[in-house]
Amino acid sequence: MSTKIDMVKFARFCKDMGFIYPSSEIYGGINGFWDYGPLGVELKRNIKEAWWYDMVRNPPPGPDGRELRMVGLDCAIIMNPRVWQASGHLSGFSDLMVDCRECKGRFRADQLLELPCPLKPSVRVGKYEKCQLTEPRPFNLMFQTYVGAIQSQDHIAYLRPETAQGIFVNFKNVLDSSRLKIPFGIAQIGKAFRNEINPRNYTFRSREFEQMEIEFFCHPRESQMWYEYWRDVRKNWYVRLGLTSDKLRPREQGREELAHYSCGTTDIEYLFPFADEPQELEGVAHRGDFDLSAHARHSGKDLSYFDEDGWNALLLERLAPYQNDKAQREEIKKVLERDEKPKFQFVPHVIEPSAGVDRFLLAVLCEAYSEDTVPDAKGRPETRTVMRFHPRLAPIKAAVFPLVNKDGMDEVAYKLYRELKPHFAVVYDHSGAIGRRYRRQDEAGTPFCITIDGETLQNNSVTIRDRDTLQQIRVNLDEVQRWLTEALRPH
Ligand code: GAP
């Protein structure tokens, strides 16, 4: 378990290393928006690729051991505004806020007890004698824009506050074009925007962020089973990618907390260093038939599903005793079509594991960040900062060093680097003492450092140093690529 982190020092480290920068910083930044630097962007890509690979291309088998059917989607950020009417976002996606007539500040009503008064920071908002707070009023969190050249009420559109609705409105398209049968899931990764009243805690609550969402469509009678399945699969995914400390916890929401669409939600939470209580990384929600029914009502389109296989199985079973009696079979079929067939038409239920890319990335950074003491080149203890990323997520997978830049070691090292480069994110570093080069890679979280030394020139073997154990093994030069492939394989 990592120790408590000083968040100011941590944010400076993340900036210095090129993980995260404040957006448009040279103009003073903009609250709630962040940029990812050279290491951060690789980390983010690795997170999204791991999710896509583990959930869409190669998901774990279902509760019955059968293969899971998952497909992907990439929807527009701006959609017909009626989508947001149907989803309930136009009327209900708001936070209650209060204004202060004295300082002109605007605050979330549920955070008054935590926020310092801008005029007198030693007391909470509303507690200074000059504070003049209004009654709480709803404030819609959707970013509004206009489509086209005319800025009128008729041309208002919204930046999506979640990727989920793009999946619901494409349910029929995916069904028709891919001939999938229920149960199946549609996955999407993409940007979402929320005009948060109080963005805070570094990137945790941002105004622009990315989501990784799955809408899993199933038969209503199986929905509880799939809800439990996804809750466990998603929790285990975080553990597999390195959130192994007891800071990760699933928490079933109480009835009073549930969103309007949900009949059960488990939040997968992480105890971030800036908070006293674990905070949400992902919500796994049982949404029932809320979304498809709402879009069917608002669009006038039929979004129900007909269970063809179930219906054919019933016909086969009921007609089997009348193989040789055509008239009787026709008679029974008519009755079944009237009484039984409608039962095979239903609106699927939806289980939704909805994760935030940026929140997971922040948790990965916090969990990976540590300081320890290692011997320097002369054997003296030295403090190092090391990012203990899971190798699959590490921005750089390996660094290649010549021990010294002579006797042809640099040529061999550079050649190896060029051979590895098409396959892995690797760097070549030949400047400074070897200890310094190791430290640089420890700070970037590079799991393996490969060094070409005198022995390489004699027997073609290189050393591979493990970032966490500091152990060094010798591997034949020709085997390095295979060794790395194995070490980085998803498992
Ligand atoms: N479709 C359901 C949905 O959007 P949500 O709980 O509002 O549910 C899902 O959001 C996830 O999106 C959260 O668990 C979180 O990881 C991420 N998220 C939500 N708001 C965010 C914000 N302001 N900044 C960063 N991530 C956010």
Side-chain angles (χ1 to χ4, degrees):
M1 191 168 126
S2 53
T3 48
K4 197 104 178 144
I5 305 171
D6 171 347
M7 283 309 283
V8 175
K9 185 174 158 199
F10 178 66
R12 200 177 319 119
F13 169 81
C14 287
K15 183 176 164 225
D16 290 349
M17 289 301 298
F19 285 111
I20 299 174
Y21 309 133
S23 168
S24 33
E25 194 183 11
I26 58 167
Y27 291 102
I30 171 166
N31 198 5
F33 298 89
W34 299 91
D35 297 337
Y36 290 91
L39 288 183
V41 76
E42 293 289 339
L43 179 59
K44 201 173 187 198
R45 285 178 70 101
N46 293 343
I47 286 175
K48 291 190 280 184
E49 273 165 25
W51 186 86
W52 196 264
Y53 181 84
D54 294 341
M55 298 297 127
V56 185
R57 284 177 47 204
N58 186 34
D64 54 3
R66 303 241 298 262
E67 193 191 346
L68 216 64
R69 291 183 279 252
M70 296 291 298
V71 293
L73 201 61
D74 185 15
C75 304
I77 284 172
I78 293 180
M79 297 193 275
N80 188 313
R82 289 176 61 205
V83 169
W84 308 112
Q85 215 174 353
S87 67
H89 282 85
L90 269 180
S91 56
F93 192 58
S94 47
D95 281 340
L96 285 179
M97 53 96 195
V98 295
D99 290 332
C100 177
R101 292 192 189 94
E102 180 67 22
C103 73
K104 311 291 178 221
R106 177 165 283 183
F107 313 96
R108 260 175 67 165
D110 62 345
Q111 291 175 354
L112 291 185
L113 294 177
E114 303 163 39
L115 299 172
C117 167
L119 297 179
K120 192 173 183 195
S122 58
V123 299
R124 300 292 174 230
V125 169
K127 299 293 177 200
Y128 180 37
E129 64 209 26
K130 290 195 173 164
C131 294
Q132 285 189 55
L133 300 186
T134 61
E135 285 300 306
R137 284 178 299 194
F139 173 80
N140 196 292
L141 299 183
M142 280 197 294
F143 276 103
Q144 199 174 290
T145 185
Y146 296 95
V147 172
I150 301 166
Q151 300 203 347
S152 77
Q153 191 70 20
D154 292 344
H155 297 83
I156 288 177
Y158 303 91
L159 305 192
R160 66 180 176 201
E162 61 173 20
T163 63
Q165 298 303 324
I167 299 181
F168 295 128
V169 301
N170 275 297
F171 170 70
K172 210 73 181 168
N173 280 340
V174 173
L175 205 58
D176 293 346
S177 56
S178 58
R179 301 169 58 83
L180 279 166
K181 290 188 174 152
I182 271 170
F184 69 88
I186 306 179
Q188 172 160 226
I189 299 179
K191 291 263 186 182
F193 303 83
R194 297 184 188 176
N195 198 1
E196 299 283 358
I197 296 168
N198 185 17
R200 60 183 186 158
N201 289 334
Y202 201 20
T203 60
F204 180 83
R205 191 173 302 286
S206 303
R207 288 179 164 141
E208 175 177 341
F209 54 96
E210 258 183 292
Q211 290 186 314
M212 308 183 281
E213 296 201 292
I214 295 169
E215 307 303 329
F216 194 80
F217 300 92
C218 61
H219 195 287
R221 70 169 170 263
E222 293 186 341
S223 54
Q224 185 59 24
M225 175 185 83
W226 285 109
Y227 170 60
E228 288 164 20
Y229 167 85
W230 279 109
R231 185 194 57 194
D232 298 346
V233 163
R234 293 302 305 144
K235 192 246 173 192
N236 294 339
W237 186 75
Y238 290 107
V239 177
R240 272 170 54 200
L241 286 176
L243 296 194
T244 50
S245 73
D246 59 5
K247 292 180 176 149
L248 184 77
R249 326 182 178 160
R251 185 183 65 83
E252 181 97 35
Q253 284 190 6
R255 290 216 141 272
E256 68 298 343
E257 285 178 86
L258 293 177
H260 59 287
Y261 53 75
S262 170
C263 37
T265 297
T266 298
D267 284 344
I268 301 173
E269 300 180 332
Y270 183 77
L271 183 58
F272 286 93
F274 51 73
D276 295 328
E277 293 294 324
Q279 306 288 315
E280 178 186 334
L281 282 185
E282 166 161 355
V284 181
H286 185 323
R287 298 180 73 117
D289 65 0
F290 176 86
D291 306 276
L292 290 181
S293 295
H295 284 300
R297 244 187 351 265
H298 280 77
S299 67
K301 301 287 183 313
D302 177 13
L303 298 181
S304 66
Y305 175 85
F306 179 63
D307 177 9
E308 190 110 36
D309 289 352
W311 166 240
N312 286 337
L314 181 94
L315 271 186
L316 212 66
E317 183 201 315
R318 298 288 177 86
L319 300 181
Y322 309 100
Q323 291 272 6
N324 304 320
D325 188 343
K326 192 168 175 223
Q328 181 75 348
R329 275 185 25 221
E330 287 304 318
E331 192 52 38
I332 292 175
K333 194 170 169 200
K334 251 192 233 155
V335 174
L336 288 174
E337 274 178 343
R338 189 195 62 210
D339 296 344
E340 299 294 330
K341 196 173 178 186
K343 295 181 191 160
F344 289 87
Q345 188 89 35
F346 59 91
V347 178
H349 276 198
V350 170
I351 309 303
E352 178 197 64
S354 170
V357 179
D358 311 76
R359 282 200 189 165
F360 179 41
L361 190 148
L362 183 58
V364 166
L365 285 172
C366 293
E367 183 93 359
Y369 182 85
S370 61
E371 286 174 359
D372 64 6
T373 307
V374 295
D376 69 6
K378 295 195 173 121
R380 290 175 307 221
E382 183 187 45
T383 303
R384 70 165 180 163
T385 300
V386 54
M387 298 301 283
R388 298 186 194 279
F389 295 126
H390 187 286
R392 272 181 85 190
L393 300 185
I396 302 168
K397 306 302 182 195
V400 184
F401 307 149
L403 182 62
V404 287
N405 292 306
K406 59 180 191 186
D407 303 332
M409 286 182 214
D410 43 350
E411 280 151 36
V412 178
Y414 191 66
K415 183 165 174 280
L416 176 64
Y417 157 73
R418 291 298 298 265
E419 281 165 11
L420 296 176
K421 199 173 148 89
H423 308 282
F424 313 99
V426 285
V427 293
Y428 176 73
D429 187 358
H430 64 148
S431 59
I434 190 82
R436 236 348 271 140
R437 284 181 265 165
Y438 281 145
R439 293 295 161 273
R440 278 201 286 266
Q441 295 308 320
D442 290 341
E443 289 180 342
T446 308
F448 307 111
C449 289
I450 304 164
T451 304
I452 310 303
D453 56 15
E455 221 179 305
T456 314
L457 307 179
Q458 288 163 12
N459 65 10
N460 237 18
S461 72
V462 301
T463 65
I464 302 185
R465 168 198 183 258
D466 184 291
R467 174 198 67 204
D468 298 334
T469 63
L470 302 179
Q471 276 183 347
Q472 302 201 9
I473 55 166
R474 290 207 82 89
V475 170
N476 195 285
L477 202 48
D478 305 331
E479 289 293 315
V480 173
Q481 189 179 322
R482 195 156 23 166
W483 189 96
L484 273 180
T485 306
E486 199 46 48
L488 298 168
R489 192 187 296 286
H491 53 265

